[in-house]
Amino acid sequence: MWQVYFKELTELMRDKKTLIFVILLPIFIFPVIFGVMGLVLSSTTNKAMNAEHRYVIVNAEQAPEFTEALFYHKNFKKVDSDLVEQDALAQAIRDDKFDVAIVIPADFASKRQHVEQATWQIIYNQSSQFDFMYRYFNELLTDYNEKLQRESLTKLNVDPVKLAAIIKPVAIEKQDTAAKRENIGEKFGALIAYILIPLCLLGASYPAIDMGAGEKERGTLETLLICPISRVSIVLGKFFTVLTTGLAGALITVASFGIWGAIIGSLAGMSVVEEAMSAISITELVLIFSLLLPISAVFAAILLAISIYARTFKEAQNYISPLTIIMFVPLVAAMMPGIELNAKTALIPIMNVALAIKELIKGTADYWMLALIFGSTIALAGIAIGFCVHWFQQEKVLFR
């Protein structure tokens, strides 16, 4: 078995593609992903914050002070329009004639004199993820509301100083007990698992295909089978070679995640990210790697079984493509809101590892749950390895 292992490993190390997939890709994938995500997010946010919004205001004379404040705001540009109906204004926004319409009731000034509440309408496209326009409008309206409140209270001979206590007798001050690391882990922990686990599959894919379907194409599998080595030793040697490449990719990926996360947080001046990354201990990184070990064994066994069944390298790639899609289903499910690590999710393959990695990054991992995940994944890996060994002993599979 070990002779086969070292033979296969030596051949893989001579292959440049293996070095790219197993070593170079994990080392550089994190800075590229983090850098691109940070650049795109920063650029998009700045663009949204500084965007100029064209607006139409109906019955502006009813609120001259608010109208003036809106006119001089740097993020708003007034557009003239004769439209007053809600449907017509909405259609004009869809036609990109302007971005937002503010409709002030025609009797607003009269209601103010009688101290009656009025309802304004703001019409705009709310599909944007960066809704800074409404935030700016709401800030202006809040200031205007406070001014009107003071005026109304003065007319009613109420002390304006007690305005806050009169309008809102009880105020709530929120205090977050979650650490910064926990907040960051909740938001980005599942994303890290979304990157780590596919890289384990990717690191094992090429070697697995090459050692099964690749040997069939080259005609070297028959030569290996006539050697005085049992088929179990041959398949286990190949399996451990695939597992080694997958784990090497995982180990390099985990190290890359820790190192680049700290470097990017430091260089970008992101103190929160730097603080969160520095809080992740070596023990937790080792646990992340330990969780990736059995799932990598599952991937290695399945990939090798597929490769042994396939006639050609291309056919093996076609079989592996659906496996990649299936793998992303539990990963995406782990990223959904409300999905937490518990006794049920701890038994769902791939999802359990993704949720455990998120908990480790958050610093809130339950070690009993980690033990359950580790045990269940090892059991699954054992079943996959057993199937792979059985598969390799079938003549109809080897010589398709």
Side-chain angles (χ1 to χ4, degrees):
M1 181 183 76
W2 295 114
Q3 290 178 337
V4 176
Y5 171 75
F6 287 116
K7 164 193 168 294
E8 298 288 359
L9 195 61
T10 302
E11 291 180 356
L12 284 175
M13 293 303 294
R14 293 172 181 167
D15 192 344
K16 293 182 180 179
K17 291 182 179 179
T18 303
L19 297 177
I20 291 173
F21 280 108
V22 177
I23 299 175
L24 294 181
L25 188 61
I27 289 176
F28 294 106
I29 190 71
F30 278 105
V32 170
I33 290 176
F34 288 163
V36 170
M37 286 177 59
L39 182 63
V40 171
L41 183 61
S42 176
S43 175
T44 305
T45 303
N46 287 333
K47 183 178 178 181
M49 289 180 67
N50 298 318
E52 188 178 61
H53 306 285
R54 299 163 299 167
Y55 75 93
V56 168
I57 186 165
V58 179
N59 299 321
E61 70 282 355
Q62 295 291 318
E65 295 176 355
F66 176 82
T67 302
E68 183 180 7
L70 187 64
F71 180 80
Y72 286 107
H73 196 285
K74 65 177 182 178
N75 293 101
F76 288 98
K77 180 181 179 181
K78 187 177 180 181
V79 174
D80 293 327
S81 175
D82 296 329
L83 301 175
V84 293
E85 296 295 330
Q86 180 179 349
D87 293 340
L89 291 168
Q91 185 59 47
I93 292 173
R94 296 190 194 98
D95 296 337
D96 199 32
K97 294 181 180 179
F98 45 84
D99 302 310
V100 57
I102 299 105
V103 181
I104 302 174
D107 59 347
F108 175 67
S110 174
K111 286 189 174 183
R112 275 189 57 200
Q113 292 178 356
H114 294 87
V115 195
E116 296 177 6
Q117 188 181 55
T119 301
W120 292 17
Q121 284 184 323
I122 177 169
I123 306 169
Y124 71 105
N125 189 329
Q126 301 180 41
S127 63
S128 174
Q129 293 183 346
F130 299 98
D131 197 357
F132 288 103
M133 189 278 298
Y134 184 77
R135 182 185 302 179
Y136 297 143
F137 170 80
N138 196 49
E139 288 172 356
L140 289 173
L141 187 59
T142 299
D143 293 339
Y144 183 62
N145 264 326
E146 290 178 357
K147 182 179 181 301
L148 296 183
Q149 287 169 354
R150 287 192 295 270
E151 292 178 357
S152 298
L153 289 170
T154 301
K155 291 180 180 179
L156 295 172
N157 296 320
V158 178
D159 186 359
V161 177
K162 298 180 180 179
L163 171 64
I166 294 172
I167 296 177
K168 194 173 183 180
V170 178
I172 298 296
E173 180 180 345
K174 294 192 295 184
Q175 183 175 352
D176 192 0
T177 59
K180 293 179 180 178
R181 172 185 170 181
E182 187 175 348
N183 283 324
I184 293 177
E186 180 64 31
K187 294 178 177 67
F188 299 105
L191 180 62
I192 299 302
Y194 191 84
I195 298 171
L196 286 174
I197 295 175
L199 281 176
C200 294
L201 179 66
L202 183 62
S205 295
Y206 179 78
I209 296 174
D210 185 68
M211 282 185 283
E215 287 214 32
K216 282 187 177 181
E217 280 192 317
R218 293 190 297 269
T220 57
L221 184 61
E222 291 84 352
T223 305
L224 185 61
L225 290 173
I226 63 175
C227 293
I229 306 174
S230 68
R231 290 190 179 183
V232 174
S233 297
I234 292 174
V235 71
L236 287 179
K238 289 178 177 292
F239 164 76
F240 281 116
T241 306
V242 177
L243 179 60
T244 299
T245 57
L247 289 178
L251 179 60
I252 294 171
T253 301
V254 171
S256 174
F257 162 65
I259 294 170
W260 282 111
I263 291 174
I264 292 172
S266 176
L267 294 180
M270 300 167 69
S271 57
V272 175
V273 176
E274 185 180 3
E275 180 182 342
M277 292 305 304
S278 62
I280 300 177
S281 65
I282 298 297
T283 303
E284 286 162 338
L285 287 176
V286 170
L287 285 172
I288 291 175
F289 174 72
S290 300
L291 288 168
L292 293 176
L293 194 153
I295 200 67
S296 296
V298 174
F299 290 154
I302 294 175
L303 290 170
L304 188 58
I306 291 173
S307 180
I308 291 169
Y309 177 78
R311 294 187 184 91
T312 63
F313 199 98
K314 185 176 181 181
E315 184 181 348
Q317 287 180 318
N318 292 335
Y319 290 149
I320 289 173
S321 296
L323 175 65
T324 306
I325 297 172
I326 293 171
M327 178 200 62
F328 278 105
V329 174
L331 283 177
V332 172
M335 297 177 66
M336 296 178 65
I339 302 297
E340 300 291 340
L341 183 60
N342 52 46
K344 292 182 179 179
T345 55
L347 297 176
I348 302 176
I350 301 178
M351 179 192 286
N352 54 6
V353 177
L355 291 173
I357 291 174
K358 182 172 76 169
E359 293 296 322
L360 285 167
I361 294 173
K362 288 169 59 178
T364 58
D366 183 340
Y367 290 101
W368 287 108
M369 284 294 176
L370 295 184
L372 177 60
I373 293 170
F374 193 74
S376 63
T377 311
I378 286 179
L380 181 61
I383 294 171
I385 295 168
F387 173 76
C388 186
V389 171
H390 172 74
W391 202 237
F392 194 79
Q393 293 176 329
Q394 304 297 311
E395 296 285 344
K396 62 181 180 180
V397 174
L398 288 176
F399 301 106
R400 287 180 68 239

